[in-house]
Amino acid sequence: YAVLDAIYSGHAGGKTTLTANVVTLDAVNTKDVNVAKFNGVEADKWSTQVIAALIDKSVYGGTLEEACVSLAKSKLKEDMNSSAASDILIQMFEMGLSEQLSGAMLRLEQLLGQDEDFFSLVHAFSNVIMLDELSTLYQSDIDIKPLIMAVYRKVMYTLPHMHQVKEENLADTMEAVKTLNSILSRKEYEKDLESFIDILEGLLAKKDINPGLDGAIRGVLYGRGRFTASEVGNACAGYMSETKEKKLKAATFLRGVFFAARDLIFVGDTFLRIIDEFLLGVEDKDFMQLLPQFRIAFSYFTPAEIDKLGGKVAAMHGMEKSKFKKLQQITPEVFAYGKNLEEQILQIMEF
């Protein structure tokens, strides 16, 4: 396992290398392993640079274990969010630093009080769940449950404010909702599932909710049996039949739906017909605006599923799927025109 940063992996300008970046658990637990002697240095390559590097690192402790403990404590005192602190907590557990875990857990609880970053909190939540699983696997006696609930409460506190998530954070937000839904599906957390669903339904009630998050939440709730396929389809149709501004958000809505529950499109042909009718009525310039989000939406499907969808679309238009696989030849004149056009565009772009 990685030893935080405690061991030097080389020195500038020299040939000597101390290859002690990766240390096994047994090595950490060996009391007489000396940092300065670990993995030795060939006598004929000893230099003042090596001595300086070893002295620099020896301040962390005389053994690997001491160095790890010292550096972990030092890092935990730094200004950080709960995500970074939970990463260190996992590293400490994996290195067998059990005596120091209680202090690290206390530090994480302190950071939770000042951390308002939803993504940081979700990452920390995922980490403490993993720590609980590792603790069970290795039959450790640490009690992680109170910390899990502390992180969970903070996540549930920040989640209701995520309805106006920015486009650049949409993917992370949808992933966070899906992760929370997955974790709360476990038997030991079922009692908290209802409050999570209530928060999701509260987010849907907000008029200015991000359409992608709207779709993802409806997909999650469809999986929970709170929405039928037709109800999600009606919400999709609502985007596609409103004002032009809202129509341009339809593809983002579908992106969220397919991210969380792509199987919805295979329930009857409601979704495909809604999408087909919508695209037939969209102007070319609007279609170009919608295209990137549509591409992302359908990227969640496997090649086999895309092939299946192609067959359904072909059948809707009275065609055979094989027709789409036939390449249409172009004339030499059309090819020459396209090549010339491309060259002109490239010249313009180069200014």
Side-chain angles (χ1 to χ4, degrees), residues 119 169-179 212-213 215-216 220 252 255-257 259 300:
F119 306 108
N169 294 325
L170 177 59
D172 289 337
T173 307
M174 295 193 301
E175 185 65 50
V177 169
K178 194 174 181 180
T179 299
L213 182 59
V220 167
T252 307
R255 172 187 170 187
V257 172
F259 172 80
Y300 299 125

Side-chain angles (χ1 to χ4, degrees), residues 84-96:
S86 66
D87 284 340
I88 295 175
L89 184 61
I90 291 290
Q91 290 176 329
M92 291 176 69
F93 180 87
E94 290 179 333
M95 288 187 292

Side-chain angles (χ1 to χ4, degrees), residues 11 67 79-80 105 121 154 170 179 182 194 198 212 222 254 257 300 302 307 326:
H11 67 86
D79 185 20
M80 63 176 67
M105 291 165 62
L121 292 166
K154 193 59 186 283
L170 177 59
T179 299
S182 176
E194 202 61 37
D198 289 341
Y222 163 76
L254 284 173
V257 172
Y300 299 125
T302 65
D307 191 59
K326 293 180 181 178

Side-chain angles (χ1 to χ4, degrees), residues 191-209:
K191 58 183 175 55
D192 300 299
L193 180 59
E194 202 61 37
S195 62
F196 172 64
I197 291 175
D198 289 341
I199 291 174
L200 294 186
E201 291 177 338
L203 284 168
L204 291 180
K206 297 181 182 294
K207 294 181 179 179
D208 53 351
I209 185 173

Side-chain angles (χ1 to χ4, degrees), residues 11 17 29 39 53 56 72 100 116 127 131 140 151 157 200-201 205 267 290 293 303 309 324 330 332 343 346:
H11 67 86
T17 302
N29 288 330
N39 203 41
D56 180 55
Q100 288 74 32
E116 300 294 332
N127 269 349
L131 182 60
S140 171
V151 182
Y157 172 77
L200 294 186
E201 291 177 338
V267 181
L290 291 165
Q293 290 295 338
L309 287 174
F324 292 108
I330 61 171
E343 290 173 352
L346 289 173

